[in-house]
């Protein structure tokens, strides 16, 4: 009887340990065993390159860039407030990074870097208390602080202040502290963010080789109380890839603008 009780107690202990460990356990798929909380590595969209952008530049309105932009939002942008229409609209000469003409090299920042992942990969480097995210486009990077709160008065920057926490196997990243000088996307959105811009990202590794991102924007000065959600992107792990050095080049920026921001009208 004593042996049975010992065996029963051991089984109960193991079952309890398994239940506790399930939310943080590694998963097994046909790609092999992986840790769903390990975002380390170089990631790129599953169909990278400019082909999709070129396809959208074949229609008659390509010169206005109404089709060369890849819209990844599943819901439309909320209407702008009167204040935003007066203060946040950008001039036609402001291209590329949204701050100035493309012959100048200013920071890109977030969330606009997410748009450029169609053409450039990024890398996550994970530590116990911080996650570093490196973007190949213009070699920008940010730090996602874990197990901490935002500072009471964050220094305004183009990347903002990012803090992250795990909700099950989903990394939720909250970013505030923007300087209000960036466009939200390089094309397709004709206004800047305000200094009140607030972004929430949800990153989930859904398989050994797949990473999904779901983003929601908040900007009470631009949209009032209505958020803009539904930005979704999928990325594929690139185990043999390393990020390249791609510093800002006015010449390269102009080539990009000529192809994607202001493409020539198609020939009849």
């Amino acid at each position: 009887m004593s042996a049975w009780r010992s065996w029963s107690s051991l089984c109960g202990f193991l079952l309890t340990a398994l239940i506790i460990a399930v939310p943080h356990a590694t998963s097994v798929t046909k790609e092999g065993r992986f840790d769903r909380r390990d975002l380390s590595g170089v990631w790129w969209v599953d169909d990278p390159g400019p082909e999709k952008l070129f396809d959208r530049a074949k229609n008659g309105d390509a010169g206005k860039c109404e089709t060369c932009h890849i819209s990844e939002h599943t819901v439309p942008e909320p209407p702008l407030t009167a204040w935003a229409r007066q203060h946040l609209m950008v001039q036609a000469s402001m291209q590329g990074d949204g701050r100035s003409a493309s012959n100048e090299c200013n920071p890109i920042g977030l969330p606009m870097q997410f748009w450029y992942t169609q053409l450039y990969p990024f890398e996550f480097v994970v530590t116990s208390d911080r996650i570093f995210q490196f973007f190949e486009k213009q070699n920008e990077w940010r730090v996602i602080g874990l197990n901490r709160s935002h500072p009471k008065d964050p220094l305004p920057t183009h990347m903002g202040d990012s803090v992250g926490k795990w909700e099950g196997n989903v990394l939720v990243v909250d970013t505030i502290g923007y300087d209000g000088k960036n466009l939200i996307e390089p094309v397709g959105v004709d206004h800047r963010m305000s200094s009140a811009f607030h972004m929430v990202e949800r990153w989930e590794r859904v398989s050994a080789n797949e990473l999904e991102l779901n983003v929601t924007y908040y900007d009470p000065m631009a949209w009032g109380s209505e958020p803009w959600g539904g930005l979704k992107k999928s990325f594929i792990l690139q185990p043999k890839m390393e990020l390249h050095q791609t510093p800002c080049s006015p010449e390269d920026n102009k080539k990009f603008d000529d192809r994607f921001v202001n493409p020539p009208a198609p020939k009849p």
Side-chain angles (χ1 to χ4, degrees):
M1 186 67 175
S2 177
W4 169 252
R5 287 182 177 177
S6 298
W7 173 250
S8 178
S9 298
L10 177 60
C11 289
F13 172 78
L14 293 175
L15 180 60
T16 301
L18 178 61
I19 292 174
I20 293 174
V22 162
H24 314 299
T26 57
S27 300
V28 179
T29 68
K30 61 181 180 181
E31 295 95 344
R33 193 173 184 85
F34 72 100
D35 183 352
R36 295 191 65 184
R37 287 191 171 194
D38 183 9
L39 307 183
S40 302
V42 175
W43 300 89
W44 206 1
V45 292
D46 58 358
D47 187 14
E51 287 75 16
K52 288 186 178 180
L53 295 176
F54 283 131
D55 286 343
R56 285 161 175 74
K58 292 178 180 178
N59 295 332
D61 56 353
K64 299 179 181 179
C65 202
E66 294 176 4
T67 59
C68 61
H69 170 59
I70 297 178
S71 179
E72 294 161 313
H73 293 271
T74 58
V75 295
E77 180 183 0
L80 291 174
T81 64
W83 184 90
R85 290 194 297 271
Q86 183 176 358
H87 295 92
L88 298 181
M89 305 304 292
V90 297
Q91 299 176 359
S93 61
M94 297 177 67
Q95 307 289 357
D97 60 13
R99 296 169 177 244
S100 59
S102 62
N103 60 356
E104 299 179 10
C105 285
N106 286 309
I108 297 173
L110 288 173
M112 191 155 59
Q113 278 283 6
F114 295 149
W115 188 91
Y116 282 107
T117 57
Q118 176 66 30
L119 303 171
Y120 301 88
F122 66 89
E123 181 173 6
F124 276 126
V125 176
V126 180
T127 70
S128 59
D129 61 347
R130 289 177 292 179
I131 297 177
F132 297 87
Q133 188 172 22
F134 298 92
F135 297 93
E136 186 176 87
K137 172 63 175 175
Q138 210 163 301
N139 299 134
E140 293 187 344
W141 59 282
R142 66 162 169 172
V143 179
I144 302 170
L146 303 177
N147 305 317
R148 74 167 176 87
S149 302
H150 291 294
K152 292 183 178 180
D153 189 18
L155 177 67
T157 67
H158 60 286
M159 283 289 190
D161 181 78
S162 296
V163 297
K165 64 178 181 179
W166 288 99
E167 294 183 357
N169 290 315
V170 177
L171 177 66
V172 180
V173 181
D174 187 275
T175 304
I176 62 172
Y178 286 97
D179 59 15
K181 298 179 180 180
N182 286 36
L183 282 177
I184 298 171
E185 295 175 0
V187 293
V189 180
D190 56 0
H191 63 88
R192 293 181 290 107
M193 63 175 64
S194 80
S195 58
F197 188 82
H198 174 198
M199 180 172 66
V200 178
E201 309 149 54
R202 300 179 67 86
W203 296 87
E204 183 177 8
R205 188 171 183 176
V206 295
S207 75
N209 298 315
E210 297 173 280
L211 179 66
E212 291 187 352
L213 170 63
N214 194 325
V215 187
T216 301
Y217 305 146
Y218 303 85
D219 194 333
M221 299 177 71
W223 304 307
S225 60
E226 189 172 354
W228 187 13
L231 173 61
K232 298 182 179 181
K233 297 181 72 75
S234 297
F235 305 96
I236 301 299
L237 185 65
Q238 309 292 328
K240 297 182 179 181
M241 181 179 289
E242 295 184 358
L243 300 188
H244 294 162
Q245 293 292 325
T246 57
C248 181
S249 164
E251 181 180 358
D252 289 343
N253 283 355
K254 185 178 186 306
K255 290 180 180 178
F256 179 89
D257 287 352
D258 290 343
R259 287 187 174 185
F260 303 120
V261 180
N262 294 304
K267 296 180 180 180

